Amino acid sequence: MTEKRVRPAKRNGPATRTEMTDRQFSLISKALAAPRRYEILAEISRRQCATPCTCLSETQPISPATLSHHMKELENAGLVRIERQGKFANLTLQRDVLRAYLDRLASL
Amino acid sequence: MTEKRVRPAKRNGPATRTEMTDRQFSLISKALAAPRRYEILAEISRRQCATPCTCLSETQPISPATLSHHMKELENAGLVRIERQGKFANLTLQRDVLRAYLDRLASL
DNA sequence: TTGACATTTCGATGATTGTCAAACTGAGGA
DNA sequence: TCCTCAGTTTGACAATCATCGAAATGTCAA
């Protein structure tokens, strides 16, 4: 699980083209294939700042174990970043990565 | 399997907004989750006209049975249209549907 | 009609996956 | 220290899925 993944662009100018490996493309496709994970993404995207895990727990009718699993999948695909602070975990949508994914699909 | 699905826009003007149900969104997500199906889509999108099934058969290292299965999944998701003429089947990418899918993902 | 060919359907199989309960870890308050 | 709370890990189970071989269907030409 130690592979290159698309990370948020780092001051490369305004119109950065984020590259994406076939591997990550596939990971994202699979991550989006579970409706529950899309819901989680939707919830996260609704907020300005990072979304606390607990919020998701209130919205999604799933066990903590399952939520944790989905969070890991989304992080692994590069779609979210998880900041851990003490007991808490906060999720941020990685819009760069999502955009790179969409760009690739759009070029079909 | 008798549900409303996004169909190619029919003379609604140049900037038609294609609607999409949650159900179809989910079907498309799942259809795209299999790398093999993405490859099939990529192959189809490379051609101007409809792609004969036989062409895919040459490109994709899978049995006819499996190819047929994937074709059905893509058709069911609305991503391709299959024209059957006698013995043959020709596939066309439904760009309207793909665009509608991308639009929805982009609005996250 | 007979045979060759394109595609589909059926049945089975191995792999992946979404889910949970239970046990675990780690942080912070009393 | 002890307890509670947030989140993770583990192990299990049922469901879904990609794949195949074999048999079936349907088309066309000889």
Side-chain angles (χ1 to χ4, degrees), chain B residues 4-71:
Chain B
K4 282 184 194 171
R5 256 176 278 138
V6 171
R7 289 283 165 218
K10 293 175 185 174
R11 69 191 82 87
N12 293 358
T16 302
R17 260 283 166 276
T18 318
E19 284 303 323
M20 167 168 302
T21 65
D22 285 359
R23 164 109 180 118
Q24 182 169 20
F25 181 76
S26 169
L27 284 177
I28 295 179
S29 296
K30 283 176 184 164
L32 291 172
R36 174 126 294 138
R37 282 194 290 263
Y38 172 78
E39 287 307 318
I40 293 175
L41 279 185
E43 177 75 26
I44 294 177
S45 80
R46 266 180 229 117
R47 307 176 183 266
Q48 306 290 24
C49 302
T51 306
C53 176
T54 316
C55 281
L56 299 173
S57 203
E58 288 163 6
T59 309
Q60 305 292 325
I62 51 179
S63 74
T66 304
L67 178 55
S68 181
H69 164 68
H70 286 318
M71 285 166 49

Side-chain angles (χ1 to χ4, degrees), chain A residues 3 8 20 24 56 70 94 97-98 100 106:
Chain A
E3 309 208 5
M20 168 169 300
Q24 183 170 19
L56 300 173
H70 287 318
Q94 299 302 107
V97 179
L98 181 59

Side-chain angles (χ1 to χ4, degrees), chain A residues 37-101:
Chain A
R37 282 194 289 263
Y38 171 78
E39 286 308 318
I40 292 175
L41 279 184
E43 178 74 27
I44 294 177
S45 80
R46 265 180 230 118
R47 308 176 182 266
Q48 306 291 23
C49 301
T51 307
C53 178
T54 316
C55 282
L56 300 173
S57 204
E58 289 163 5
T59 310
Q60 305 293 325
I62 50 178
S63 74
T66 304
L67 177 56
S68 181
H69 165 67
H70 287 318
M71 284 166 52
K72 198 158 54 172
E73 292 286 302
L74 289 170
E75 185 186 33
N76 190 235
L79 283 171
V80 308
R81 194 164 72 95
I82 307 185
E83 257 179 298
R84 284 162 233 267
Q85 294 180 12
K87 299 198 285 185
F88 305 102
N90 301 314
L91 292 81
T92 322
L93 178 58
Q94 299 302 107
R95 292 204 144 82
D96 300 60
V97 179
L98 181 59
R99 183 186 318 272
Y101 177 73

